[in-house]
């Protein structure tokens, strides 16, 4: 049986930490759908299409990403999982402080859809401190983003905050 998992998140924007988790997930599942939450209750810097395009660019020359698809979704994640026939959600856990939120979210999703399970993966330890929100903070102050996100993502972030200043 072929295995299919969703890798859901805001990806606002995608970071090296996300890419590390995604690569690990491709080693465990036949197909992964990077599932971008759009029009959710969270305000985002980038639109769904912008986030999707950035992720696509990250993956275009990566052999390991052959079986990765990218989709946007609105609404409950478990509804989207059912629509796709996915029984597994992949989430990255960087440190213990992430765990409480992740645990609550996984159990809420399980209550809503007992047939959908969440697996947690840890990123490379060098990447555990990276988060999209801290990356945005560094970008806001025009800092060097090269160790946090790919170049095209850094350019998009710097462009966004430069435009905001004007
Ligand atoms: O990258 P993030 O912001 O931590 O991802 C959170 C995300 C998008 C996976 C989560 O908020 C989500 O699944 N939102 C859709 C609504 C939903 O199904 N919530 C889960 C029930 S608690």
């Amino acid at each position: 049986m072929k295995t299919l998992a969703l890798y859901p998140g805001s990806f606002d924007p995608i970071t090296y930490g996300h890419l590390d988790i995604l690569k690990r997930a491709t080693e465990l599942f036949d197909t992964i759908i990077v599932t971008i939450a759009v029009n959710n209750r969270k305000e985002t810097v980038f639109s769904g299409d912008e986030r999707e395009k950035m992720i696509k660019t990250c993956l275009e020359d990566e052999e390991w990403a052959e079986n990765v698809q990218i989709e946007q979704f609105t609404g409950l994640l478990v509804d989207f999982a059912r629509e796709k026939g996915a029984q597994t959600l992949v989430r990255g856990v960087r440190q213990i402080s992430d765990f409480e939120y992740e645990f609550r979210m996984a159990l809420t999703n399980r209550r809503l859809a007992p047939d959908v399970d969440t697996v947690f993966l840890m990123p490379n330890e060098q990447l555990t401190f990276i988060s999209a929100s801290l990356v945005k903070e560094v970008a806001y102050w025009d800092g060097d983003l090269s160790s946090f996100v790919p170049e095209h993502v850094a350019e998009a972030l710097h462009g966004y905050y430069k435009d905001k200043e004007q």
Side-chain angles (χ1 to χ4, degrees):
M1 196 180 89
K2 294 266 183 196
T3 53
L4 166 68
L6 304 187
Y7 178 34
S10 302
F11 303 107
D12 186 46
I14 189 151
T15 67
Y16 282 134
H18 293 127
L19 288 168
D20 181 273
I21 296 289
L22 178 58
K23 184 162 188 258
R24 285 170 203 281
T26 62
E27 283 157 22
L28 298 172
F29 299 95
D30 296 309
T31 305
I32 306 282
I33 305 178
V34 178
T35 307
I36 308 167
V38 294
N39 300 331
N40 255 331
R41 299 190 312 146
K42 256 190 199 171
E43 257 196 43
T44 55
V45 162
F46 298 109
S47 70
D49 288 346
E50 286 169 327
R51 285 178 274 156
E52 179 172 342
K53 197 163 165 229
M54 275 187 244
I55 298 170
K56 229 175 231 157
T57 305
C58 291
L59 303 182
E60 64 194 2
D61 295 321
E62 300 291 356
E63 231 170 79
W64 59 262
E66 251 172 28
N67 295 330
V68 176
Q69 301 166 16
I70 310 168
E71 296 213 26
Q72 300 178 32
F73 83 104
T74 303
L76 280 181
L77 180 58
V78 289
D79 289 341
F80 188 76
R82 281 190 168 139
E83 189 188 312
K84 291 284 149 188
Q87 283 178 336
T88 313
L89 309 173
V90 173
R91 291 285 290 173
V93 175
R94 295 160 297 187
Q95 38 217 333
I96 292 291
S97 54
D98 282 345
F99 195 72
E100 200 184 327
Y101 166 67
E102 292 298 333
F103 192 69
R104 278 190 280 127
M105 193 157 69
L107 291 182
T108 307
N109 283 333
R110 179 185 282 170
R111 180 64 62 91
L112 294 169
D115 51 319
V116 177
D117 244 313
T118 304
V119 300
F120 297 114
L121 297 179
M122 286 173 290
N124 180 307
E125 65 275 13
Q126 311 263 6
L127 304 172
T128 52
F129 63 95
I130 300 179
S131 73
S133 47
L134 285 182
V135 166
K136 283 180 274 198
E137 173 84 11
V138 175
Y140 179 85
W141 297 108
D142 202 21
D144 175 12
L145 296 173
S146 58
S147 54
F148 309 127
V149 294
E151 205 176 316
H152 66 281
V153 177
E155 276 168 19
L157 276 167
H158 284 309
Y160 174 83
Y161 287 110
K162 212 164 262 162
D163 286 351
K164 269 211 132 180
E165 254 173 37
Q166 287 158 9

